[in-house]
């Protein structure tokens, strides 16, 4: 188990290296450059800019330069479009906002989703099930960018209960976190219900019931671990889609997170910033994937990852 | 588990065996589920309307009427008009075409690639599994949005080689092949491809997980012991048993895919004017909801209703296909 975990984690670095290398050359193959603009800049200025950022050197030199800086100095280089600021600085300032939003949204998703799904499964095909799944489906069916303006309209503009935008106190956090977390909660609820139903019908649950074990104890001690399997599998893609989804949330609520740089930098061909954001994002997602795989193995001992 | 046979009755002393396949059995159970049947009917109606309404409507989906501008729903415009006086009812169902098309293409891509990929990885295991899942990991790591932005930049710009190929194919059929509308259509194809090519990843992981936990079970060993080959084992024994989760996941993929298109349109990267899609309409509506409520309400309602129905149908299918639910 520990050996597996170690191997799983140590695979992250080479994979990340491949991804970043592909991205490096892909970005430079895209037509257009960081200093293209509507107004033509005098040729000398453009040349000086390119030379300053070492963009006039051969690709291979640029690549080794970038790699060396990242590996040895943990330096992601200067941003091309945010003059005078380094990528490290930009990410260092913006990432905490995104991380905080994502973390709390995930907590909301699990705390709302799992109990809802388990409750629905225990009331399978009864009114409670239908109501709970109706709520979950509403969550799945309403996009974040529809949900967010509606909640802002109701809670901020009509009821004056919560601030409509920005990110200062915990009151500012409520609407964005809820908007980001609810769609994921709905997925979690559906998956934990499906997983629970699988387990509830199995023989060992019937035996436990026959022995006279109280339902609450059966649920908590026997079925929850197996039933959460689909949720665990979903968690990694769910969290990464949460990060992507928070892009919209950050935009709507004007939160200074990392998400906005993702789109902005790619459109502007701010190579270093794109590389930096992808690197942070990639390392995060791959670590999460590894954790999920290890958790999957822990939750379901039938899985034999080594192969037979 | 492929076929359960029942003795139907004796005729002239001969026993008649009637095969009850998994599918006919499932279909029978599905018909009993009212919510699922209603959802299926609603989806069929919406689908048909999406093709018929723009065709028979007195208004063209892109016909502007600046004289009337944005008007509330009325007898002549059932769902009102947008900022340019275009009939929202027509635009909405025209957008339905694109939303359905995205759902169909991307989801079938996800099923085809994801199930095969995950099935093989889970079944073979070992180094092959590690390699295949590492590829999925890598694609996962690549943030989807950058992938789409790059795809749009690479292939969806007016200078893209794909666009000129598209024009070459189109030119015999169109008077004005270089029009804005054709460019927008071309961009939608790029969006199809972009969404489809990434949406199989989760399916692959899911199927692999299922196959991994199934293949250790006795019935697989039994099948292998009587000489069932790997292909038959995967497609006849392992995957049908994983069908429940696959179907649940497919129904989760459809709304996800539709929503991704809407999300892209919201960011200005998906469907472009003068075409319409539910996402684009809802995004436009969300901006002006304080003044023109109908521009947000109708597109979101239709989008949500469609996703709702797909979910209900998927749940019904799940209950219908899970053999363990069988009461008889």
């Amino acid at each position: 188990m520990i050996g597996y975990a170690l191997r799983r984690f140590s695979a992250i670095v080479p994979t990340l290296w491949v991804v970043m290398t592909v991205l490096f050359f892909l970005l430079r193959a895209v037509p257009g450059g960081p200093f293209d603009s509507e107004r033509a800049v005098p040729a000398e200025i453009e040349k000086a800019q390119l030379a300053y950022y070492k963009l006039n050197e051969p690709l291979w030199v640029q690549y080794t330069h970038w790699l060396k800086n990242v590996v040895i100095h943990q330096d992601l280089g200067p941003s091309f479009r945010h003059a005078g600021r380094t990528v490290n600085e930009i990410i260092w300032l913006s990432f905490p906002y995104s991380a905080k939003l994502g973390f709390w949204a995930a907590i909301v998703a699990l705390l709302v989703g799992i109990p809802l799904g388990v409750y629905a499964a225990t009331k399978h095909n009864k009114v409670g099930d239908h109501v709970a799944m109706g709520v979950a489906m509403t969550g799945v069916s309403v996009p974040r960018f529809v949900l967010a303006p509606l909640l802002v309209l109701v809670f901020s503009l009509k009821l004056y209960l919560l601030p409509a935008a920005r990110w200062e106190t915990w009151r500012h956090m409520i609407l964005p976190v809820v908007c980001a977390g609810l769609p994921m909660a709905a997925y979690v609820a559906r998956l934990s219900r499906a997983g629970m139903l699988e387990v509830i019908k199995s023989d060992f649950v019937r035996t436990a019931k026959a022995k006279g074990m109280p339902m609450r104890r059966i649920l908590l001690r026997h079925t929850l671990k197996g039933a959460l399997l689909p949720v665990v599998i979903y968690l990694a893609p769910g969290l990464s889609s949460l990060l992507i989804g928070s892009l919209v949330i950050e935009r709507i609520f004007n939160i200074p997170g990392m998400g906005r740089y993702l789109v902005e930098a790619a459109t502007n061909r701010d190579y270093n910033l794109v590389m930096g954001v992808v690197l942070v994002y990639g390392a995060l997602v791959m670590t999460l994937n590894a954790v999920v795989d290890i958790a999957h193995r822990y939750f379901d001992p039938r899985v034999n990852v080594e192969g037979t | 588990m492929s076929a359960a046979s029942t003795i139907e009755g004796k005729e002239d002393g001969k026993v008649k065996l009637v095969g009850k396949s998994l599918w006919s059995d499932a279909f029978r159970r599905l018909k009993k589920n009212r919510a699922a049947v209603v959802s299926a009917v609603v989806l069929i109606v919406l689908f048909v309307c999406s093709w018929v309404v723009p065709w028979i409507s007195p208004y063209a989906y892109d016909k502007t009427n600046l004289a009337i501008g944005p008007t509330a729903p009325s007898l002549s415009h059932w769902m009102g008009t947008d900022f340019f006086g275009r009939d929202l009812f027509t635009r909405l169902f025209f957008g339905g075409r694109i939303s359905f098309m995205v759902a169909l293409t991307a989801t079938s891509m996800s099923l085809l690639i994801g199930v095969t990929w995950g099935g093989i990885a889970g079944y073979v295991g070992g180094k092959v599994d590690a390699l295949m899942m590492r590829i999925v990991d890598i694609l996962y790591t690549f943030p989807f949005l950058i992938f789409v932005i790059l795809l749009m930049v690479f292939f969806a710009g007016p200078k893209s080689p794909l666009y000129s190929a598209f024009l070459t194919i189109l030119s015999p059929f169109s008077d004005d092949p270089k029009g804005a509308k054709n460019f927008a259509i071309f961009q939608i194809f790029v969006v199809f491809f972009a969404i489809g090519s990434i949406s199989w990843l989760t399916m692959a992981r899911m199927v692999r997980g299922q196959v991994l936990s199934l293949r250790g079970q006795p019935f697989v060993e039994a099948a292998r012991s009587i000489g069932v080959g790997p292909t038959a084992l995967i497609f006849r024994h392992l995957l049908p048993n994983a069908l429940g989760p696959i179907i649940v996941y497919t129904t989760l993929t459809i709304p996800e895919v539709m929503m991704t298109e809407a999300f892209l349109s919201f960011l200005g990267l998906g469907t472009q004017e003068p075409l319409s899609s539910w996402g684009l309409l809802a995004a436009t509506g969300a901006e002006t909801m304080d003044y023109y409520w109908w521009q947000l309400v109708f597109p979101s309602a239709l989008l949500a209703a469609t996703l709702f129905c797909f979910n209900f149908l998927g749940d019904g299918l799940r209950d219908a296909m899970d053999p363990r639910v069988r009461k008889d």
Side-chain angles (χ1 to χ4, degrees):
Chain A
M1 187 77 198
I2 292 172
Y4 172 72
L6 280 179
R7 241 174 310 134
R8 196 68 185 73
F9 278 117
S10 63
I12 290 177
V13 174
T15 314
L16 211 51
W17 172 68
V18 172
V19 171
M20 296 320 290
T21 306
V22 170
L23 182 62
F24 185 92
F25 291 103
L26 207 62
L27 268 172
R28 280 154 177 84
V30 174
F35 305 112
D36 292 358
S37 58
E38 296 289 312
R39 274 188 312 167
V41 178
E44 299 84 45
I45 294 182
E46 205 186 329
K47 225 171 144 187
Q49 276 179 320
L50 288 176
Y52 178 74
Y53 291 113
K54 296 193 168 56
L55 285 171
N56 53 353
E57 294 187 31
L59 272 186
W60 196 246
V61 177
Q62 288 184 38
Y63 172 70
T64 41
H65 181 73
W66 183 84
L67 198 64
K68 213 168 67 189
N69 270 342
V70 170
V71 173
I72 300 175
H73 307 293
Q74 289 83 47
D75 179 12
L76 292 163
S79 160
F80 299 142
R81 295 295 285 242
H82 300 267
R85 297 180 69 190
T86 63
V87 174
N88 286 34
E89 206 178 287
I90 293 175
I91 289 176
W92 196 246
L93 282 177
S94 62
F95 180 70
Y97 294 101
S98 299
K100 216 166 165 187
L101 175 65
F103 175 77
W104 287 112
I107 296 289
V108 165
L110 292 180
L111 285 188
V112 173
I114 293 174
L116 197 66
V118 170
Y119 171 78
T122 54
K123 299 271 186 267
H124 188 40
N125 278 341
K126 294 197 189 108
V127 180
D129 183 21
H130 295 311
V131 172
M133 281 304 104
V135 172
M137 269 177 207
T138 315
V140 169
S141 309
V142 178
R144 287 186 173 99
F145 63 80
V146 172
L147 184 69
L150 279 177
L151 290 188
V152 168
L153 188 72
V154 173
F155 288 100
S156 310
L157 304 180
K158 297 280 179 237
L159 299 177
Y160 303 109
L161 283 178
L162 295 165
R166 298 172 65 175
W167 188 262
E168 281 149 20
T169 61
W170 61 271
R171 283 164 53 83
H172 290 83
M173 288 171 59
I174 294 177
L175 277 183
V177 164
V178 166
C179 289
L182 278 191
M184 189 180 163
Y187 279 89
V188 169
R190 286 172 57 81
L191 288 171
S192 54
R193 173 179 176 270
M196 200 61 167
L197 284 179
E198 294 274 321
V199 181
I200 265 183
K201 272 179 261 130
S202 56
D203 293 339
F204 70 88
V205 171
R206 197 173 44 197
T207 308
K209 245 188 239 169
K211 279 196 320 186
M213 192 181 250
M215 201 57 199
R216 171 186 297 268
R217 204 174 145 82
I218 297 179
L219 285 181
L220 291 179
R221 287 290 298 269
H222 289 279
T223 60
L224 204 56
K225 196 170 147 183
L228 289 186
L229 196 60
V231 178
V232 172
I233 297 173
Y234 168 72
L235 223 47
L239 288 173
S240 61
S241 85
L242 186 67
L243 287 186
I244 291 285
S246 58
L247 221 95
V248 169
I249 299 295
E250 284 178 13
R251 184 179 273 219
I252 291 173
F253 291 97
N254 210 355
I255 300 166
M258 203 169 82
R260 62 174 171 172
Y261 293 111
L262 204 67
V263 181
E264 185 214 89
T267 322
N268 288 341
R269 312 284 194 286
D270 195 338
Y271 302 146
N272 279 351
L273 190 51
V274 176
M275 298 285 287
V277 172
V278 175
L279 187 67
V280 172
Y281 185 82
L284 198 67
V285 173
M286 284 169 65
T287 314
L288 287 174
N289 272 332
V291 170
V292 165
D293 267 10
I294 293 161
H296 184 190
R297 210 168 128 95
Y298 170 75
F299 272 97
D300 189 358
R302 285 172 300 175
V303 178
N304 181 0
V305 191
E306 321 294 345
T308 36
Chain B
M1 68 156 284
S2 56
S5 302
T6 48
I7 298 172
E8 196 79 320
K10 283 184 179 178
E11 278 173 23
D12 311 330
K14 271 185 272 175
V15 176
K16 200 175 153 204
L17 282 175
V18 179
K20 235 163 78 179
S21 78
L22 174 72
W23 298 104
S24 68
D25 225 21
F27 187 65
R28 185 176 52 80
R29 267 195 302 272
L30 184 67
K31 276 195 297 191
K32 282 190 199 152
N33 186 337
R34 208 177 300 148
V37 174
V38 171
S39 301
V41 172
V42 171
L43 284 176
I44 291 170
V45 168
L46 281 176
F47 185 76
V48 171
C49 281
S50 298
W51 291 98
V52 172
V53 166
W55 191 39
I56 59 169
S57 160
Y59 310 99
Y61 74 94
D62 56 350
K63 178 87 182 112
T64 58
N65 186 348
L66 296 175
I68 62 168
T71 57
S74 62
L75 277 180
S76 50
H77 295 283
W78 292 351
M79 290 183 179
T81 55
D82 72 359
F83 192 76
F84 302 104
R86 292 178 291 198
D87 182 52
L88 205 57
F89 189 71
T90 314
R91 278 184 75 68
L92 207 53
F93 281 105
F94 184 82
R97 286 186 190 178
I98 287 166
S99 297
F100 273 112
M101 261 152 63
V102 172
L104 287 180
T105 42
T107 306
S108 24
M109 231 165 138
S110 137
L111 262 178
L112 202 73
I113 310 175
V115 169
T116 315
W117 195 274
I120 292 173
Y123 178 76
V124 178
K127 285 205 178 91
V128 178
D129 177 33
L131 180 72
M132 288 176 90
M133 282 302 121
R134 189 57 30 78
I135 292 173
V136 170
D137 276 355
I138 291 175
L139 293 174
Y140 248 113
T141 315
F142 206 87
F144 165 49
L145 262 173
I146 288 204
F147 183 74
V148 171
I149 291 168
L150 286 182
L151 272 178
M152 300 300 283
V153 174
F154 265 133
F155 303 118
K159 283 180 198 156
S160 136
L162 268 189
Y163 182 51
S164 39
F166 178 76
L167 285 181
T168 321
I169 300 170
L170 204 70
S171 50
F173 306 104
S174 172
D175 306 329
D176 176 28
K178 292 199 171 183
K181 205 185 291 175
N182 284 340
F183 187 61
I185 292 174
F186 163 73
Q187 280 182 315
I188 284 181
F189 277 105
V190 182
V191 172
F192 283 168
F193 177 74
I195 296 180
S197 61
I198 62 113
S199 60
W200 60 274
L201 298 173
T202 314
M203 182 68 79
R205 277 182 80 94
M206 180 83 185
V207 170
R208 168 186 175 263
Q210 286 290 326
V211 169
L212 267 182
S213 62
L214 276 174
R215 73 164 184 188
Q217 292 194 356
F219 76 91
V220 177
E221 223 166 296
R224 202 184 287 144
S225 75
I226 58 167
V228 176
T231 317
L233 206 56
I234 293 180
F235 286 99
R236 289 217 30 110
H237 295 275
L238 290 176
L239 288 182
N241 275 293
L243 211 56
I246 291 177
I247 283 170
V248 173
Y249 221 88
T250 308
T251 60
L252 288 175
T253 307
I254 292 177
E256 211 175 345
V257 157
M258 278 187 158
M259 222 129 74
T260 307
E261 187 274 325
F263 173 79
L264 288 174
S265 300
F266 177 84
L267 289 179
L269 298 168
T271 312
Q272 309 278 343
E273 296 273 353
L275 300 184
S276 72
S277 78
W278 292 341
L280 183 66
L281 291 174
T284 320
E287 284 165 21
T288 56
M289 61 191 264
D290 342 10
Y291 309 109
Y292 316 125
W293 57 268
W294 60 93
Q295 291 181 12
L296 174 67
V297 168
F298 290 119
S300 340
L302 212 56
L303 179 62
T306 309
L307 304 181
F308 233 77
C309 288
F310 271 120
N311 287 325
F312 267 119
L313 186 61
D315 255 18
L317 281 171
R318 178 198 172 279
D319 291 344
M321 282 190 189
D322 190 342
R324 273 167 287 188
V325 190
R326 257 176 232 177
K327 292 192 181 81
D328 41 25

